[in-house]
Amino acid sequence: MTGPGRSGAAADTLTGGPRPGRVRRRRASVPVPLLVPALVGLVFLLLPLLALLVRTPWRSLPEQLTSPEVWQALRLSLFCATAATAVSLVLGVPLAWLLARAEFPGRGLVRALVTLPLVLPPVVGGVALLLALGRNGVVGQWLDSWFGVTLPFTTAGVVVAEAFVAMPFLVITVEGTLRAADPRYEEAAMTLGASRFTAFRRVTLPLVAPGVAAGAVLAWARALGEFGATITFAGNFPGRTQTMPLAVYLALQSDPAAAIALSLVLLAVSIAVLAGLRDRWMTAS
Amino acid sequence: MTTRSARRTRRTLQAAGASAAALLALSACSSSDDSASSGSPASTSASAKPSGTVTVFAAASLKESFTALGKEFEETNPGTKVTFSFGGSDSLAASITGGAPADVFASASPKTMKIVTDAKDAAGTPATFVRNQLEIATLPGNPDRIASLKDLTKSGLKVVLCDKEVPCGAAAQKTLDASGLKLTPVSYEQDVKSALTKVELKEADAAVVYRTDVKAAGDKVEGVEFPESAEAVNDYPIVLLKDAPNADAAKAFIELVRSAEGRQVLTGAGFLQP
């Protein structure tokens, strides 16, 4: 008996007429029970960042930041985060499409599994990667014996660890955009003779480009800040696997001033990227 | 109706729990300033019967032996409970100077203990109760036939060390420097346990860790002693904290650690006597 009701609701959304209940939007003052917690929340999120700025050793900062170790770590961080984002794009966009458009049994379960790295403690992710792709891992031992490839302790290992943690952000974002996008454009393209892949390439992809960009930015930012999986799976060696977050963590053990300076760089890079791209892409979808 | 009200109650409880946690976190951060002045009454009334909970912050390497000693303490002193927080000495020291309510601090190095004493959070002078020496951990059966520190410099061998910033890494570097060896590891790990784990998982061929860690890992790794380790023996100091909520019981626990019985448990775990 749910059939007619559901199709009726779907028709309503498709016609997109004005909804009677929402027409009159009164501009009311913000109620205090909302305003106070909102401001406390804002302060809570910004205070630690502010504290970082207050305690930054500004005088020794130029010296801290021009040290070769910092540049090495920053360069490696930027390279690995970008590579991890590229991997996420190549694998994640098709995966998102599969979840949004293809019908197959167990899709809900697959979606849940894809989002698992979002909630998994990154260290657990790192251990899991070691057990899968390590020299003695389930798959890794074959990589080693057939191709002589071992991922732990290599830059490629950092990219793998970061992609593992960051890709779900891209998949989720792109899937959401795909679900919001009207599939009738693709259907129209296919009735005009396009294959499903051509329709995806020429119609769907341009349609969801803002969502893909937003997902890529999120994934990039997450990869840049990734710590747990990286240090567990790829280890820590300056110039090869020591990214900025690792350098910050280890500097904190003996030289807090250096750790603060490094954190500041990471913070500045992250803010620049998020602020520069987020407004443009996020609202477009 | 009942389910709805139950749900509402649960939600309120969750919210309350979350805000309590947030408050706790905030107060833990802020109390570092006033901890010096507001010191809880660390009563020095001599040798009262220990009771209540003793909170011990101890280096991760002490986990096995201190857990055993804690059990023993609870048995010989009915009505007491020993709770532990095991972790890296640096982060434990940071929590203590940040105002964490602990009674005893047992650190893996005098350097981290100094953080606590410098912050005037210790009551009295720390006492060295055990020492730990480095050992090479290799794969079971020692397939690479590692017999000395020099063997670790063989090419093609994947060796992990602790980072120089953490105690085990500083000690390893000291032994390498003393013996004039140059060793390029595949990774500088963030603590001794993660260095050992890389060998246990067979991702690395060898690691330089503490004797006690090799012992605790059982037959998952094989230990190789090397004479140069005498160059960098780590002292473990223990101290009663100034703001200890349960100073009397804490003193009794420290006494147990330093007693003949405690010594036996600790040497059994691979520690050396000072």
Side-chain angles (χ1 to χ4, degrees):
Chain A
M1 287 321 278
T2 52
R6 278 179 68 173
S7 68
D12 255 353
T13 353
L14 283 180
T15 51
R19 281 171 223 173
R22 292 233 186 128
V23 181
R24 284 178 56 207
R25 192 177 290 170
R26 212 156 44 88
R27 197 169 258 237
S29 61
V30 187
V32 174
L34 290 182
L35 186 65
V36 171
L39 289 180
V40 171
L42 188 69
V43 168
F44 172 63
L45 291 178
L46 291 185
L47 193 65
L49 306 182
L50 216 70
L52 199 64
L53 290 178
V54 170
R55 297 290 293 273
T56 299
W58 293 105
R59 215 172 314 153
S60 63
L61 197 62
E63 178 191 342
Q64 297 267 19
L65 296 187
T66 47
S67 78
E69 292 82 19
V70 172
W71 276 116
Q72 206 175 34
L74 183 62
R75 217 169 40 228
L76 190 74
S77 271
L78 295 175
F79 169 77
C80 289
T82 308
T85 308
V87 171
S88 301
L89 278 170
V90 170
L91 305 178
V93 172
L95 183 56
W97 183 85
L98 211 63
L99 289 174
R101 288 284 193 267
E103 291 287 342
F104 57 92
R107 190 169 62 166
L109 183 68
V110 172
R111 184 185 296 122
L113 291 177
V114 163
T115 53
L116 205 55
L118 283 181
V119 292
L120 212 61
V123 180
V124 176
V127 173
L129 282 171
L130 267 183
L131 297 180
L133 299 172
R135 190 171 65 161
N136 197 42
V138 177
V139 175
Q141 54 182 316
W142 304 111
L143 287 179
D144 187 19
S145 61
W146 290 348
F147 310 109
V149 175
T150 54
L151 286 173
F153 313 124
T154 62
T155 307
V158 179
V159 176
V160 168
E162 290 185 353
F164 178 77
V165 174
M167 188 150 66
F169 284 85
L170 180 101
V171 175
I172 296 271
T173 315
V174 175
E175 199 213 336
T177 321
L178 275 169
R179 286 180 171 279
D182 197 334
R184 287 183 306 179
Y185 291 107
E186 293 160 45
E187 281 156 22
M190 283 194 282
T191 57
L192 293 172
S195 72
R196 204 161 191 188
F197 182 63
T198 311
F200 168 77
R201 199 164 50 89
R202 304 286 294 270
V203 178
T204 316
L205 212 50
L207 207 60
V208 299
V212 173
V217 170
L218 274 181
W220 191 85
R222 181 67 190 87
L224 191 70
E226 160 49 33
F227 169 76
T230 308
I231 202 164
T232 313
F233 181 61
N236 167 59
F237 192 87
R240 195 163 62 217
T241 58
Q242 188 180 70
T243 56
M244 286 291 276
L246 274 58
V248 170
Y249 176 76
L250 289 160
L252 199 57
Q253 314 264 352
S254 64
D255 188 358
I260 293 170
L262 287 169
S263 307
L264 199 68
V265 175
L266 210 54
L267 191 69
V269 172
S270 308
I271 288 178
V273 169
L274 288 177
L277 292 177
R278 201 178 157 110
D279 270 353
R280 197 176 310 160
W281 298 112
M282 290 301 223
T283 49
S285 66
Chain B
M1 274 322 266
T2 46
T3 50
R4 190 189 287 171
S5 69
R7 200 179 301 153
R8 197 181 303 143
T9 320
R10 193 164 60 211
R11 208 172 293 155
T12 323
L13 279 177
Q14 275 169 357
S19 43
L23 277 177
L24 271 178
L26 286 175
S27 63
C29 299
S30 62
S31 62
S32 65
D33 306 282
D34 55 356
S35 64
S37 56
S38 78
S40 60
S43 64
T44 41
S45 62
S47 66
K49 194 105 176 85
S51 63
T53 302
V54 187
T55 308
V56 180
F57 279 30
S61 43
L62 292 165
K63 187 167 183 182
E64 290 81 9
S65 34
F66 265 36
T67 308
L69 286 172
K71 282 223 178 67
E72 200 171 315
F73 186 77
E74 285 168 9
E75 273 165 27
T76 47
N77 300 290
T80 58
K81 183 157 173 39
V82 188
T83 57
F84 291 104
S85 175
F86 294 109
S89 299
D90 296 271
S91 45
L92 291 177
S95 345
I96 289 168
T97 54
D103 295 298
V104 178
F105 178 44
S107 156
S109 76
K111 200 178 127 209
T112 41
M113 180 55 83
K114 199 167 173 297
I115 298 172
V116 171
T117 49
D118 281 355
K120 303 204 176 0
D121 281 333
T125 333
T128 301
F129 66 104
V130 280
R131 316 178 82 190
N132 212 346
Q133 201 160 352
L134 293 175
E135 204 170 289
I136 299 168
T138 70
L139 300 177
N142 197 356
D144 300 296
R145 288 195 297 277
I146 295 159
S148 68
L149 193 61
K150 193 170 182 300
D151 287 348
L152 293 183
T153 59
K154 276 193 286 198
S155 65
L157 205 62
K158 283 193 170 153
V159 180
V160 293
L161 296 179
C162 295
D163 196 87
K164 295 174 192 86
E165 313 289 1
V166 298
C168 63
Q173 197 55 48
K174 210 165 151 191
T175 58
L176 285 168
D177 289 345
S179 47
L181 289 171
K182 239 187 124 53
L183 170 60
T184 308
V186 288
S187 177
Y188 292 104
E189 294 293 314
Q190 79 269 32
D191 58 46
V192 65
K193 290 291 182 196
S194 58
L196 188 72
T197 305
K198 295 281 152 70
V199 180
E200 281 183 26
L201 292 172
K202 298 195 171 66
E203 294 303 334
D205 300 306
V208 179
V209 295
Y210 292 119
R211 274 175 58 154
T212 50
D213 296 302
V214 172
K215 202 143 185 172
D219 49 13
K220 281 180 277 184
V221 298
E222 192 165 312
V224 177
E225 288 181 21
F226 58 101
E228 297 91 336
S229 61
E231 296 291 337
V233 177
N234 254 38
D235 289 345
Y236 280 52
I238 191 166
V239 80
L240 173 72
L241 295 172
K242 196 172 87 349
D243 292 335
N246 192 357
D248 289 335
K251 268 184 220 155
F253 180 77
I254 294 174
E255 265 166 39
L256 171 68
V257 169
R258 302 187 65 192
S259 70
E261 264 173 297
R263 207 174 299 162
Q264 204 179 349
V265 171
L266 287 159
T267 48
F271 286 105
L272 306 169
Q273 280 307 305

